[in-house]
Amino acid sequence: MSVVAETDPFLLAASGRPAPHTPVWFMRQAGRSLPEYRAIRGSGSILDAIKNPRLAADITIQPVTRYGVDAAVLYSDIVVPAHAIGFGIDVAPGTGPVAENPLRTRGDVARLRPYEPDLDAPYVGKTVDILARELTVPILAFAGAPFTVGSYLIEGRPSRTHEVTRSLMTQETTVWHEVMERLAGHAIESIASQVDHGAGAFQLFDSWAGSLSVQEYRSYVLPHTKRVFDELHDRFPHVAGIHFGVGCDHLLEAIHESGCDVVGLDWKSRISDARRRLGDDLVVQGNMDPAAVLGDIDTALAAADKVLEDNAGHLGHIFNLGHGVQPEANPDALAAVVKYVHDKTKRATP
Amino acid sequence: MSVVAETDPFLLAASGRPAPHTPVWFMRQAGRSLPEYRAIRGSGSILDAIKNPRLAADITIQPVTRYGVDAAVLYSDIVVPAHAIGFGIDVAPGTGPVAENPLRTRGDVARLRPYEPDLDAPYVGKTVDILARELTVPILAFAGAPFTVGSYLIEGRPSRTHEVTRSLMTQETTVWHEVMERLAGHAIESIASQVDHGAGAFQLFDSWAGSLSVQEYRSYVLPHTKRVFDELHDRFPHVAGIHFGVGCDHLLEAIHESGCDVVGLDWKSRISDARRRLGDDLVVQGNMDPAAVLGDIDTALAAADKVLEDNAGHLGHIFNLGHGVQPEANPDALAAVVKYVHDKTKRATP
């Protein structure tokens, strides 16, 4: 574990305790919106960039330096474990994850062997090692949830609506659950290894779970997501886990049952509504519209204000966007938001 | 107008009247899932295929012949008007609409001149003329709603979350409303012309409106969508208009206020819930999971049964999928669904 103080704003807020200020970080804070990123990144697949620990660490650190955010999320991709075990998936720049031979039949399940992070992708641990030495803010471990990773392996290409995935789910339910079990194993091992190397919390990305109905989510996805949080809680009782998905407002009750410590909200949900539905002591992350940081600073601060108003001074709020930073985002607007939220939420330490 | 009887199941159901059976059609029923389509379509952009009226008519007719569906939706694309007036947008096979110079500034608004269907895209009217002569089921006019068309022009590429669009909306509100007004004009003229040539009803595709919060939808989109339905109702009092969008469950009340005659539901909404929220006499279209027709017939029929149960015998139901037919769909499953729904909903004519 890196040396992060017990008075750390992120870790305090993530467990619902009073923090010196509301912590801020941004999903995809490291990446294409930053000129310093474009200067060092080079071209080609993100999966190649990740294999260079010094480069991946520098990219991870850039937004911490520039913005003064309260957490550093590992520069990574949700298909790293599947790629590392040789499933045959890459990330095509401008398109996203692409698998030439998608997972479609019972016979394909064997292609998902267990993931052993330090053997299969030693570069990830090495990157976290560097970060733990060089950063004083918590490092967030990064992993894809079984459903969202599975949807890429099954569709073979990015999809808005995941019909092939949902068809496999209902038509080949045994195969489906076996795939989910294996991918839950990948997520658990991936996060556990990042924590062993020094991460202080983690985020599980179930970005596209919102394409499921509540019934589908509960039957085919929730048990596997819950296993990820349960096993990680058993192994690391003090490491908080964040759940994130887009368009998941209709699933919030079910997602909350996964045992996640923090519910990440997208820009269409309302924090006050989530607390009304899930309880006043809910710890939430979010949920400023990522569109509000594409332009001028005033627009960004007005949007930040709305989020703070929606949170109404509750403890247990991690400020973030409601989705990843877009390549077109204005870094000055993001910097202004961090400063604004810090200033506006400063409180006497307890 | 084509000669479609007053006893037509589709037209009766669309106005909430008793029909001899529940009418069925499928969004994207014409297209890549059909071998007879692949046999005649050729390669290249859909926008080129559409320019050949005989080809476009044959493609439109194919699923009527094969499935016995109760309506024929014009084989078209939502960017046809923008393409036809020379905005500079094409549909890249496998990707979707791409604009090399997206609409980003006040200066770009002038690129959206009024659309004059019979001058700018005479092939559309000619296709509908052929269909009106050769079909005995209603022809559904096809148009994109201002928001969804605008999102393609503004993003310049398919997007899941439309940040650039939502940024323009809030940062350049005057420009936004002018763009929406012009695109509403395109939708109105496009549909009016298709009706003049023989279409008996229309569907307005606001496929990606679900990426908006309720507040955004009401402020920036609803007034323009409402104008489309209002003006078309004024011109054609007896022509029913269907609204369709994905992930719009949180917007249903607002969408209903647009004045659409039929609310299209995606697979995540529930018909019974929509009627509870919007009134018992709501006319709905949908909403079987498109994933349920990728595999065997039994799965498809079980899913069809669930939709019929959810509708609980109400009048005012047009059976459809909750989204377009996927290229991987099984035509035999779709054929079985049509027959099954027809048989199961047969009633003595009033």
Side-chain angles (χ1 to χ4, degrees):
Chain A
M1 283 277 278
S2 65
V3 185
V4 173
E6 270 301 297
T7 55
D8 178 80
F10 179 91
L11 298 179
L12 288 168
S15 56
R17 287 174 289 170
H21 59 253
T22 297
V24 184
W25 71 282
F26 303 118
M27 291 180 276
R28 272 200 224 148
Q29 60 191 13
R32 284 182 295 166
S33 62
L34 292 180
E36 58 268 37
Y37 167 87
R38 296 192 298 265
I40 65 172
R41 165 66 164 79
S43 60
S45 166
I46 181 174
L47 299 181
D48 292 327
I50 287 170
K51 287 173 187 165
N52 177 343
R54 185 66 253 173
L55 177 64
D58 285 343
I59 290 172
T60 303
I61 293 168
Q62 283 178 343
V64 181
T65 309
R66 178 189 271 259
Y67 298 134
V69 285
D70 299 282
V73 62
L74 183 71
Y75 179 67
S76 186
D77 190 277
I78 66 169
V79 301
V80 163
H83 172 74
I85 63 165
F87 177 85
I89 188 159
D90 204 343
V91 180
T95 300
V98 178
E100 216 174 294
N101 296 304
L103 192 163
R104 297 282 167 93
T105 66
R106 177 175 305 276
D108 289 325
V109 177
R111 294 164 62 197
L112 291 175
R113 67 159 173 82
Y115 173 54
E116 299 179 80
D118 280 340
L119 294 175
D120 294 319
Y123 42 86
V124 175
K126 285 181 188 157
T127 304
V128 182
D129 288 342
I130 298 173
L131 295 173
R133 281 198 303 273
E134 301 185 4
L135 283 175
T136 54
V137 297
I139 301 155
L140 303 189
F142 180 115
F147 169 75
T148 293
V149 175
S151 76
Y152 283 117
L153 306 186
I154 293 165
E155 303 284 335
R157 59 178 195 263
S159 159
R160 288 181 199 258
T161 44
H162 307 108
E163 275 85 3
V164 184
T165 309
R166 287 183 293 111
S167 173
L168 187 82
M169 215 178 242
T170 48
Q171 295 241 316
E172 299 277 2
T173 302
T174 322
V175 174
W176 171 260
H177 283 298
E178 207 170 317
V179 170
M180 288 296 98
E181 269 168 38
R182 290 177 184 225
L183 293 176
H186 288 187
I188 291 164
E189 294 313 321
S190 171
I191 291 168
S193 169
Q194 294 174 60
V195 172
D196 285 337
H197 282 274
F202 67 90
Q203 179 156 314
L204 189 69
F205 288 83
D206 211 357
S207 308
W208 311 131
S211 71
L212 301 170
S213 70
V214 181
Q215 297 83 344
E216 287 171 327
Y217 183 80
R218 286 192 178 277
S219 302
Y220 302 111
V221 174
L222 176 59
H224 305 287
T225 299
K226 185 166 169 19
R227 186 183 139 218
V228 175
F229 284 108
D230 286 350
E231 289 202 16
L232 287 166
H233 281 145
D234 283 351
R235 291 206 217 174
F236 309 104
H238 301 298
V239 171
I242 306 164
H243 183 284
F244 177 73
V246 176
C248 287
D249 201 73
H250 63 299
L251 302 177
L252 288 184
E253 284 79 4
I255 285 169
H256 193 223
E257 290 172 27
S258 71
C260 62
D261 302 283
V262 181
V263 175
L265 299 178
D266 84 354
W267 70 97
K268 290 180 284 171
S269 290
R270 287 183 53 91
I271 295 176
S272 47
D273 182 56
R275 287 227 171 80
R276 187 183 55 70
R277 289 161 60 186
L278 306 180
D280 239 19
D281 55 352
L282 182 74
V283 182
V284 299
Q285 175 175 284
N287 69 339
M288 181 167 142
D289 192 335
V293 293
L294 301 194
D296 61 56
I297 290 176
D298 285 351
T299 303
L301 298 188
D305 245 341
K306 267 173 132 177
V307 172
L308 294 177
E309 272 169 37
D310 192 16
N311 184 61
H314 271 75
L315 298 179
H317 179 214
I318 297 166
F319 192 100
N320 204 321
L321 303 182
H323 195 217
V325 173
Q326 291 294 300
E328 300 87 349
N330 173 6
D332 294 338
L334 287 162
V337 167
V338 176
K339 187 172 174 340
Y340 185 79
V341 173
H342 282 172
D343 289 350
K344 189 128 189 200
T345 61
K346 198 161 279 172
R347 51 172 74 82
T349 25
Chain B
M1 283 275 278
S2 65
V3 186
V4 173
E6 269 302 297
T7 55
D8 178 81
F10 178 90
L11 298 179
L12 288 168
S15 56
R17 287 174 289 170
H21 59 254
T22 297
V24 184
W25 72 282
F26 303 119
M27 290 180 277
R28 270 199 226 149
Q29 59 191 13
R32 285 183 295 167
S33 62
L34 292 180
E36 59 267 37
Y37 167 86
R38 297 192 298 266
I40 65 170
R41 164 68 163 79
S43 59
S45 166
I46 181 174
L47 298 182
D48 292 327
I50 287 170
K51 287 174 188 164
N52 176 342
R54 184 68 252 173
L55 177 63
D58 284 343
I59 290 172
T60 303
I61 293 169
Q62 283 178 343
V64 181
T65 308
R66 179 189 272 258
Y67 297 135
V69 285
D70 299 282
V73 61
L74 184 70
Y75 179 67
S76 186
D77 190 277
I78 66 169
V79 301
V80 163
H83 172 75
I85 63 164
F87 177 85
I89 188 159
D90 204 343
V91 180
T95 300
V98 178
E100 216 174 294
N101 297 303
L103 192 163
R104 296 282 165 95
T105 66
R106 179 175 305 275
D108 289 326
V109 177
R111 294 163 62 198
L112 292 174
R113 67 159 173 82
Y115 173 54
E116 299 179 78
D118 280 339
L119 293 174
D120 295 319
Y123 42 86
V124 175
K126 284 181 190 158
T127 304
V128 182
D129 288 341
I130 297 173
L131 295 172
R133 281 198 302 272
E134 300 186 5
L135 283 176
T136 55
V137 296
I139 301 155
L140 303 189
F142 180 115
F147 169 76
T148 293
V149 175
S151 77
Y152 283 116
L153 305 186
I154 292 165
E155 303 284 336
R157 58 178 196 262
S159 159
R160 288 180 197 261
T161 45
H162 307 108
E163 276 84 1
V164 184
T165 308
R166 286 184 293 112
S167 173
L168 187 82
M169 216 178 242
T170 48
Q171 296 240 316
E172 300 278 1
T173 302
T174 321
V175 175
W176 171 260
H177 284 299
E178 206 170 319
V179 170
M180 289 296 100
E181 268 168 40
R182 289 177 184 225
L183 293 176
H186 288 186
I188 292 164
E189 294 312 321
S190 171
I191 291 168
S193 169
Q194 294 174 60
V195 172
D196 284 338
H197 281 274
F202 66 92
Q203 179 155 315
L204 189 70
F205 289 84
D206 210 358
S207 308
W208 311 130
S211 70
L212 301 170
S213 70
V214 181
Q215 296 83 345
E216 287 171 326
Y217 182 79
R218 285 191 179 278
S219 302
Y220 301 112
V221 174
L222 176 58
H224 306 287
T225 299
K226 185 165 169 19
R227 185 183 139 218
V228 174
F229 285 108
D230 286 351
E231 289 203 16
L232 287 166
H233 281 146
D234 283 350
R235 291 207 216 172
F236 309 104
H238 301 299
V239 171
I242 307 165
H243 182 285
F244 178 74
V246 177
C248 287
D249 200 73
H250 62 301
L251 301 178
L252 288 185
E253 284 79 4
I255 286 169
H256 193 220
E257 291 171 26
S258 70
C260 63
D261 302 283
V262 181
V263 175
L265 299 177
D266 84 353
W267 69 98
K268 291 181 283 173
S269 290
R270 286 184 52 90
I271 295 175
S272 47
D273 182 56
R275 286 228 171 80
R276 188 182 54 69
R277 290 161 61 187
L278 305 181
D280 240 18
D281 54 352
L282 182 74
V283 181
V284 299
Q285 176 175 285
N287 70 340
M288 181 168 143
D289 192 336
V293 293
L294 302 193
D296 61 55
I297 289 175
D298 286 351
T299 304
L301 298 188
D305 245 341
K306 270 174 131 176
V307 172
L308 293 177
E309 273 167 37
D310 192 15
N311 184 61
H314 271 74
L315 298 180
H317 180 215
I318 297 167
F319 192 101
N320 204 321
L321 303 182
H323 195 215
V325 173
Q326 292 294 302
E328 301 87 350
N330 174 5
D332 295 339
L334 287 162
V337 167
V338 176
K339 186 173 175 339
Y340 185 78
V341 173
H342 282 172
D343 288 350
K344 190 127 187 204
T345 61
K346 197 161 280 171
R347 52 172 74 82
T349 25

